[in-house]
Amino acid sequence: MPALKPTSFTATITWLGHVPSRELSLRSVPAKSVDVTLDGLPGEDHGGPTRPSCVRVRTQYKEGTVIRNTRQLSIVSAEELAATAEAMGLERIDPAWVGASLVIEGIPDFTHVPPSSRLMSSSGVGIAIDMENRPCVLPGREIEAEAEGFGARYKPAAKGRRGVTAWIEYGGRLALGDVLTLHVPDQPAWSHLEAARAG
């Protein structure tokens, strides 16, 4: 029995890009198409099979520990990006400013799709979603450089709509206009989740 269930929810890729060097800037460089591999996007500084652990997993590992890379991609939804911009008082947020890999349009409440969901392209590319990408101050610095006085507004405005981190499960070509179908784990939510979160 399959563990992942195809859904009727689909999304269109409206933006693609990669971050060449996090040391220099979080800013993404846009592209019309990319050939992704199991290491992620070509030229992406977040790519590769492993990564040093960061503050997001500091309760599991000492920062800098080499772990499996489930953060090859940063995927945001066009709808949530627009809502974040509106909450900040900006006309728009360029996806490059937030270090996006993909911007997709069409899946409601995208940031909160179940972990381990898949986005499947018609050509067979498989993108595995790790979890919600919590907002941080780094995109705010890029926004501040473009819209002075607005950078500090990003982190609170993006809460719950920063998108997800993800990794490539099966490679191939992704291009602007491609349609991705959402597949979700075919299991109920754990009945003890609230108790576990409460500690």
Side-chain angles (χ1 to χ4, degrees), residues 13-52:
I13 299 176
T14 62
W15 197 92
L16 283 164
H18 72 279
V19 176
S21 172
R22 283 175 288 171
E23 286 189 12
L24 297 177
S25 170
L26 181 71
R27 193 171 294 232
S28 297
V29 175
K32 293 182 179 178
S33 65
V34 291
D35 293 308
V36 296
T37 70
L38 298 183
D39 284 341
L41 275 69
E44 171 58 55
D45 196 38
H46 294 93
T50 63
R51 70 178 180 93

Side-chain angles (χ1 to χ4, degrees), residues 28-196:
S28 297
V29 175
K32 293 182 179 178
S33 65
V34 291
D35 293 308
V36 296
T37 70
L38 298 183
D39 284 341
L41 275 69
E44 171 58 55
D45 196 38
H46 294 93
T50 63
R51 70 178 180 93
S53 64
C54 63
V55 296
R56 298 179 194 277
V57 289
R58 66 183 171 197
T59 55
Q60 290 76 45
Y61 308 102
K62 179 181 177 183
E63 194 166 342
T65 302
V66 177
I67 61 173
R68 175 66 60 192
N69 188 6
T70 58
R71 195 257 175 269
Q72 294 174 344
L73 311 177
S74 171
I75 309 176
V76 297
S77 84
E79 296 90 344
E80 291 176 337
L81 201 60
T84 300
E86 183 178 1
M88 292 174 65
L90 286 174
E91 185 176 332
R92 66 181 290 271
I93 295 174
D94 189 318
W97 302 347
V98 299
S101 309
L102 279 80
V103 177
I104 62 171
E105 185 174 22
I107 297 177
D109 193 26
F110 175 68
T111 292
H112 300 118
V113 296
S116 286
S117 294
R118 304 299 198 267
L119 293 170
M120 303 297 300
S121 77
S122 58
S123 66
V125 174
I127 301 170
I129 291 170
D130 183 42
M131 66 176 74
E132 176 184 358
N133 190 9
R134 299 282 174 89
C136 67
V137 299
L138 296 180
R141 294 175 187 169
E142 300 299 330
I143 292 169
E144 185 66 20
E146 300 291 336
E148 189 174 353
F150 287 88
R153 302 182 188 184
Y154 174 76
K155 186 176 177 181
K159 185 176 180 181
R161 46 189 174 212
R162 174 69 173 93
V164 300
T165 57
W167 48 279
I168 298 296
E169 186 169 55
Y170 187 80
R173 173 155 290 199
L174 293 173
L176 298 178
D178 282 359
V179 175
L180 305 174
T181 300
L182 179 68
H183 295 228
V184 296
D186 189 22
Q187 67 183 55
W190 185 38
S191 59
H192 302 278
L193 185 58
E194 291 304 318

